[in-house]
């Protein structure tokens, strides 16, 4: 009985994954085996010859659905598979875990997305999902006549999006962190209009109405009131955006210290209000966490009881 070479056992499933993506109309690129890094050279070291004779070709520009080219690329090495999201007509939401250095209770991507949906009063449709090595990818069909770009934390902490200018690792690929697998093999849904709006408006983030569902009534009312105060803040002065953000976060933090409302609920709501004024997401996160950490750490035993 003839045994199958080990190289083929590694290569053939990845080739099948690349061909399956191409059959869906999703152009693919080879990624280094066991890696998320595209095969090929960077623009800064482009030789300007061969396929780059007319100018450097990015991985997105080299992506293909041609089965012959795909078979040729995967003929000798077990390349991981990348899907060029822009040419594929996809917008993929990438949910990542919280970082180890972040404070305990910091929301991960899934929690941030759930909070975003609750603030907007929306429910995401069922769609094709891939379990990544560290989180999850939610696939959506990008809206026609809108050229969405990639984003980082625009929708919330640890929520990235991949569209034009980016790619995602396809199921079947493996990295040192784990294997990418289909988690929900449903048809790819259209990107909801309200998410398109959030991703296409100017850097001044959308003013998503805050609808708090967790916590006591007093805590919910206080949080909604302070979010409204933050959203109305303007630049500069003692009542400027960052000062107001910090002051309001401190006011609501006492409810977290008392156990009346979860910390992640407060952080998500105030983050959205802060970004709605045009403050950078990173600045909002730093200010909010600083305020919450200080108030919670200095709450008296009587108050925290």
């Amino acid at each position: 009985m003839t045994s199958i070479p080990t190289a083929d056992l590694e290569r053939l499933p990845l080739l099948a994954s690349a061909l399956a993506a191409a059959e869906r109309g999703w152009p693919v690129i080879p990624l280094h085996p066991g890696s998320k890094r595209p095969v090929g050279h960077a623009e800064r070291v482009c030789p300007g010859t061969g396929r780059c004779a007319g100018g450097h070709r990015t991985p997105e520009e080299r992506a293909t659905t041609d089965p012959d080219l795909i078979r040729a690329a995967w003929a000798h090495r077990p390349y991981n598979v990348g899907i060029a999201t822009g040419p594929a007509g996809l917008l993929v939401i990438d949910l990542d875990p919280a970082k180890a250095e972040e404070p305990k209770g910091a929301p991960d991507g899934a929690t941030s997305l759930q909070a975003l949906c609750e603030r907007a009063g929306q429910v995401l449709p069922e769609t094709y999902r891939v379990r990544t090595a560290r989180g999850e990818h939610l696939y959506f069909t990008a809206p026609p006549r809108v050229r969405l770009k990639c984003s980082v934390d625009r929708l919330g902490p640890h929520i990235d999006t991949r569209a034009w200018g980016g790619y995602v690792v396809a199921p079947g690929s493996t990295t040192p962190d784990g294997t990418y697998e289909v988690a929900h093999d449903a048809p790819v849904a259209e990107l909801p209009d309200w998410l398109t709006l959030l991703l296409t408006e100017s850097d001044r983030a959308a003013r998503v109405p805050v609808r708090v569902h967790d916590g006591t009534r007093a805590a919910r009312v206080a949080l909604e009131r302070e979010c409204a105060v933050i959203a109305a803040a303007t630049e500069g002065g003692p009542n400027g955006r960052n000062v107001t953000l910090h002051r309001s976060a401190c006011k609501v933090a006492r409810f977290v210290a008392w156990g009346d409302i979860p910390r992640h609920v407060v952080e998500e709501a105030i983050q959205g209000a802060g970004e709605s004024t045009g403050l950078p997401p990173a600045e909002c996160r730093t200010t909010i966490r600083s305020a919450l950490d200080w108030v919670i750490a200095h709450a008296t035993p009587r108050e925290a009881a």
Side-chain angles (χ1 to χ4, degrees):
M1 182 175 179
T2 302
S3 62
I4 300 175
T6 301
D8 286 343
L9 290 174
E10 296 176 346
R11 178 177 57 81
L12 293 178
L14 290 163
L15 171 59
S17 174
L19 291 172
E23 288 176 0
R24 288 176 175 263
W26 299 345
V28 298
I29 54 173
L31 309 177
H32 284 283
S35 168
K36 296 192 289 186
R37 186 165 53 90
V39 172
H41 56 262
E43 184 174 8
R44 65 179 180 277
V45 293
C46 181
T49 59
R51 64 189 178 194
C52 295
H56 178 68
R57 297 186 67 195
T58 66
E60 182 177 83
E61 293 169 331
R62 290 188 282 108
T64 182
T65 57
D66 187 323
D68 292 334
L69 292 178
I70 293 170
R71 290 190 183 94
W74 270 265
H76 304 293
R77 296 196 68 192
Y79 290 123
N80 273 344
V81 182
I83 298 171
T85 42
L90 295 172
L91 183 289
V92 177
I93 296 178
D94 180 9
L95 305 178
D96 283 330
K99 294 180 173 59
E101 64 270 19
E102 291 185 284
K104 183 178 180 180
D108 59 12
T111 302
S112 295
L113 183 60
Q114 181 181 1
L116 176 66
C117 291
E118 290 177 354
R119 290 200 305 272
Q122 302 286 345
V123 177
L124 289 179
E126 283 197 14
T127 192
Y128 184 79
R129 293 174 178 247
V130 173
R131 186 179 300 106
T132 72
R134 300 174 61 244
E136 192 172 34
H137 285 164
L138 282 61
Y139 284 55
F140 293 96
T141 300
R145 299 180 296 280
V146 177
R147 192 179 177 91
L148 295 175
K149 298 180 180 179
C150 298
S151 72
V152 177
D153 287 351
R154 185 181 180 92
L155 296 178
H158 306 300
I159 305 176
D160 298 340
T161 63
R162 296 288 178 262
W164 283 98
Y167 63 91
V168 291
V169 181
S173 302
T174 300
T175 70
D177 291 324
T179 300
Y180 289 66
E181 301 173 332
V182 176
H184 188 44
D185 194 9
V188 178
E190 294 182 0
L191 185 70
D193 291 341
W194 65 278
L195 280 176
T196 301
L197 176 63
L198 290 177
L199 292 167
T200 55
E201 63 187 358
S202 65
D203 290 336
R204 187 178 178 85
R207 296 174 180 261
V208 180
V210 176
R211 300 179 183 180
V212 182
H213 300 288
D214 292 336
T216 65
R217 177 174 174 78
R220 295 197 305 269
V221 170
L223 177 55
E224 292 174 2
R225 180 178 62 242
E226 293 306 323
C227 283
V229 170
I230 294 167
T234 55
E235 297 185 34
N239 295 314
R241 296 175 299 172
N242 194 283
V243 173
T244 300
L245 181 69
H246 187 272
R247 184 167 55 229
S248 291
C250 285
K251 289 180 179 180
V252 181
R254 59 194 177 117
F255 291 100
V256 178
W258 298 339
D260 290 341
I261 193 168
R263 174 170 178 151
H264 72 85
V265 172
V266 171
E267 286 185 327
E268 288 296 327
I270 295 182
Q271 178 79 23
E275 290 185 31
S276 78
T277 69
L279 285 173
E283 182 178 346
C284 290
R285 283 194 295 274
T286 299
T287 299
I288 293 166
R289 289 172 183 170
S290 174
L292 292 177
D293 288 347
W294 193 93
V295 172
I296 293 170
H298 291 82
T300 66
R302 178 181 63 82
E303 290 177 325

